[in-house]
């Protein structure tokens, strides 16, 4: 592939630069651009070696820092080694199961609010459920992280985050080509403005909460109370901004996309949609909020979500740079090499899954799921850096999906085939138009 071809494809959709070997091989060394070798790791045992056994040999890539540093700083997502470890330990209490369970009413209420919005339209009207799920999951964020927050600041966070992600492919492309950071591109000014607006809004939210001097029990309150596990010191203002921005962005964008893709799959598989609806109504009839206990008794709903995240993982790739040489898959890989773990491709790998492109939630029946290695199915990553918000995200997705399908029927027009578009998360290009009939 020529330099110009690579640049065009990467800017349009980085997913299109995945080589065919990513869907078929165990390990492949590819040169998407001449002189720029990249090691693609797909075999589950090799993924586990990289993320578990040899995790100390890897650091975040320069591309990832280019994309995230302007908006998320050096919080838990972007930091490495010691700086990452203490932040992870400091934030872990925020995501204990008992703590997360207290947020279930907010998750249920946000889904019911979305159903109420749909009820104001004619039955069967077409809605962009991708946009609607972004609004609904951000509603959860406001209810669980920003209680009492200024509406204008909350809106600025949501809108600025969306605008920033819209143009990240330019940053990815130039980073992969190892062009200097100062080199401008058509989205440079837009990205800078979006990042500044988001971080300014997050800072204002933090200042207002500190000035209020209240002991809030939302996630922001817990974040402000977090302490270094060894020294007992409070987080610096910069680290609080970095981590709140990370939680705000990751906390709604990934779940929103998971819900949008899942509703699309259920609209195309009405028999599965009915099975979910029947299951939910049996456990929690209309008017009954979904509790964590009720959510734990929805095996069909859980299998549907797992299969949706296999076909359309919220984060489609993990990348690392080797800080020292390693031996992997019989190959010697030198320090400085970029490693790509293409989650999207592994989840559709021709040798790992039977009929990999087919929607089949029964892949995750207990008797079948037990044989799936953790390096083969990674919607939240794997190893020490598994997403810290995984438990929150799974409970949120299950409660919201169950509530939405119980209260509305979703239909597909038989024509629109949304293209998966990489913008850090996996978006449906052109939105996700579905018919919605409130029941």
């Amino acid at each position: 592939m020529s330099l110009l071809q690579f640049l065009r494809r990467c800017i349009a959709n980085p997913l299109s630069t995945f080589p065919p070997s990513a869907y078929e091989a165990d390990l492949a060394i590819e040169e998407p651009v001449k002189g720029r070798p990249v090691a693609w790791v797909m075999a589950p045992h090799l993924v586990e070696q990289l993320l578990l056994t040899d995790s100390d040999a890897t650091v975040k890539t320069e591309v990832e820092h280019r994309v995230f540093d302007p908006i998320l700083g050096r919080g838990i997502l972007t930091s490495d080694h010691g700086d990452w470890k203490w932040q992870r330990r400091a934030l872990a209490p925020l995501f204990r199961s008992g703590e997360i369970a207290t947020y279930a009413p907010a998750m249920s209420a946000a889904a019911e609010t979305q159903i109420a919005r749909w009820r104001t339209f004619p039955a069967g009207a077409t809605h962009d459920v991708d946009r609607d799920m972004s609004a609904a999951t951000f509603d959860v964020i406001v209810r669980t992280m920003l209680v009492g927050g200024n509406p204008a600041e909350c809106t600025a966070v949501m809108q600025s985050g969306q605008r920033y992600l819209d143009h990240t492919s330019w940053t990815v492309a130039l980073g992969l080509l190892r062009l200097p950071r100062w080199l401008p591109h058509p989205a440079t000014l837009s990205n800078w403005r979006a990042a500044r607006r988001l971080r300014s809004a997050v800072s204002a939210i933090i200042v207002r909460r500190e000035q209020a001097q209240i002991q809030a029990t939302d996630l922001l309150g817990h974040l402000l109370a977090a302490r270094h596990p060894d020294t007992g010191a409070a987080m610096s203002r910069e680290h609080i901004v970095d981590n709140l921005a990370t939680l705000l962005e990751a906390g709604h964008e990934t779940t929103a996309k998971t819900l949008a893709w899942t509703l699309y799959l259920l609209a195309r598989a009405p028999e599965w949609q009915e099975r979910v609806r029947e299951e939910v109504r049996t456990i929690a009839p209309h008017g009954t909020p979904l509790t964590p206990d009720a959510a734990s008794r929805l095996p069909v709903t859980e299998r549907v979500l797992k299969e949706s995240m296999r076909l359309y993982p919220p984060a489609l790739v993990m990348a690392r740079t080797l800080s020292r040489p390693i031996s992997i898959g019989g190959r010697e890989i030198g320090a400085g090499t970029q490693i790509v773990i293409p989650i999207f491709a592994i989840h559709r790998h021709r040798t790992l899954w039977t009929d990999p492109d087919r929607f089949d939630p029964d892949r995750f029946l207990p008797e079948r799921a037990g044989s799936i290695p953790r390096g083969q199915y990674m919607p939240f990553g794997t190893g020490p850096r598994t997403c810290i918000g995984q438990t929150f995200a799974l409970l949120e997705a299950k409660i919201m999906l169950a509530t939405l399908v119980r209260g509305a029927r979703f239909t597909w027009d038989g024509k629109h085939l949304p293209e998966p578009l990489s913008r850090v998360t996996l978006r449906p290009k052109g939105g996700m138009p579905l018919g919605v009939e409130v029941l």
Side-chain angles (χ1 to χ4, degrees):
M1 188 189 312
S2 71
L3 181 64
L4 185 57
Q5 287 175 321
F6 174 81
L7 189 61
R8 284 175 174 167
R9 288 174 62 177
C10 190
I11 291 169
N13 188 359
L15 183 59
S16 68
T17 65
F18 281 21
S21 58
Y23 299 88
E24 301 167 352
D26 288 348
L27 173 69
I29 309 297
E30 302 279 351
E31 286 194 13
V33 177
K34 190 173 181 180
R36 301 280 192 272
V38 176
W40 295 75
V41 179
M42 283 72 65
H45 69 286
L46 299 182
V47 170
E48 291 179 25
Q49 175 191 334
L50 192 66
L51 297 180
L52 294 168
T53 309
D54 290 331
S55 63
D56 65 328
T58 67
V59 294
K60 292 286 187 173
T61 66
E62 168 65 14
V63 173
E64 193 163 347
H65 284 305
R66 287 191 186 209
V67 171
F68 291 122
D69 284 4
I71 195 166
L72 304 182
R74 288 299 176 99
I76 191 171
L77 180 66
T78 52
S79 55
D80 281 306
H81 301 313
D83 195 29
W84 166 77
K85 286 180 181 177
W86 82 259
Q87 291 186 73
R88 176 91 181 196
R89 290 171 62 196
L91 294 178
L94 280 66
F95 294 97
R96 290 174 180 153
S97 297
E99 188 68 39
I100 290 170
T102 65
Y103 302 133
M107 299 167 180
S108 180
E112 291 288 5
T113 298
Q114 181 56 56
I115 292 173
R117 284 194 286 263
W118 285 330
R119 189 175 284 114
T120 63
F121 293 86
T126 298
H127 296 268
D128 181 356
V129 298
D130 179 44
R131 181 189 60 205
D132 291 343
M133 291 305 97
S134 289
T137 56
F138 197 78
D139 187 7
V140 174
I141 293 300
V142 172
R143 293 169 188 258
T144 60
M145 294 191 193
L146 305 175
V147 176
N150 182 296
E153 290 164 354
C154 295
T155 299
V157 170
M158 180 177 176
Q159 293 179 344
S160 299
Q162 292 282 358
R163 289 195 185 110
Y164 188 86
L165 293 178
D166 284 345
H167 304 294
T168 51
S169 60
W170 276 99
T171 308
V172 170
L174 270 61
L176 289 173
L177 295 176
R178 302 180 189 175
L179 296 174
R181 284 198 184 202
W182 54 260
L183 189 68
H185 56 72
T188 296
L189 184 58
S190 173
N191 282 359
W192 178 79
R193 285 173 173 166
R196 186 177 67 168
R197 187 180 183 217
L198 184 143
R199 290 183 67 85
S200 294
V202 168
S203 295
I205 289 167
I206 293 169
V207 169
R208 182 173 291 104
R209 177 64 62 85
E210 289 175 333
Q211 291 174 342
Q213 295 183 338
I214 57 174
Q215 295 296 317
T217 58
D218 63 352
L219 280 171
L220 174 54
H222 289 309
L223 180 61
L224 291 172
R227 294 295 182 265
H228 193 295
D230 296 325
T231 68
M235 280 190 175
S236 68
R237 171 58 59 79
E238 194 72 10
H239 269 128
I240 292 174
V241 172
D242 294 345
N243 283 298
L244 181 56
T246 299
L247 296 178
L248 292 175
E249 283 305 293
H252 91 95
E253 178 72 13
T254 52
T255 307
K257 300 316 167 198
T258 293
L259 288 171
W261 286 112
T262 304
L263 292 175
Y264 165 70
L265 290 168
L266 289 178
R268 294 198 60 176
E271 69 282 4
W272 278 102
Q273 185 177 166
E274 288 303 320
R275 286 183 65 180
V276 170
R277 185 173 294 114
E278 180 181 353
E279 175 183 70
V280 176
R281 288 180 171 179
T282 299
I283 299 297
H286 263 307
T288 306
L290 268 291
T291 65
D293 176 67
S296 70
R297 293 182 284 134
L298 299 174
V300 174
T301 306
E302 183 172 317
R303 295 205 304 275
V304 165
L305 275 169
K306 286 182 175 180
E307 176 69 343
S308 172
M309 289 189 291
R310 182 187 71 82
L311 289 168
Y312 300 103
L316 75 163
V317 67
M318 285 187 287
R320 298 288 189 270
T321 298
L322 290 182
S323 57
R324 62 171 171 80
I326 65 169
S327 176
I328 185 168
R331 305 286 292 270
E332 299 297 323
I333 310 294
T337 301
Q338 180 161 307
I339 306 289
V340 175
I341 301 171
I343 297 173
F344 183 89
I346 293 171
H347 283 191
R348 293 172 179 253
H349 201 278
R350 303 291 175 257
T351 68
L352 297 176
W353 305 91
T354 301
D355 200 1
D357 294 326
R358 183 167 63 92
F359 176 62
D360 178 15
D362 282 344
R363 297 178 200 273
F364 292 96
L365 284 166
E367 60 270 26
R368 295 173 64 183
S371 63
I372 301 174
R374 55 183 169 179
Q376 180 176 329
Y377 179 69
M378 302 171 287
F380 296 96
T382 192
R385 298 197 68 138
T386 299
C387 175
I388 194 172
Q390 175 177 347
T391 304
F392 182 103
L394 285 174
L395 181 64
E396 178 186 17
K398 193 185 292 188
I399 285 178
M400 294 191 73
L401 179 66
T403 304
L404 293 169
V405 173
R406 180 184 66 183
R409 179 174 288 109
F410 301 88
T411 56
W412 178 55
D413 65 6
K415 301 174 184 177
H416 183 73
L417 297 172
E419 175 189 347
L421 179 67
S422 172
R423 290 295 183 266
V424 178
T425 56
L426 197 63
R427 296 180 174 183
K429 185 177 182 180
M432 188 69 82
L434 295 177
V436 181
E437 177 188 357
V438 176
L439 302 174

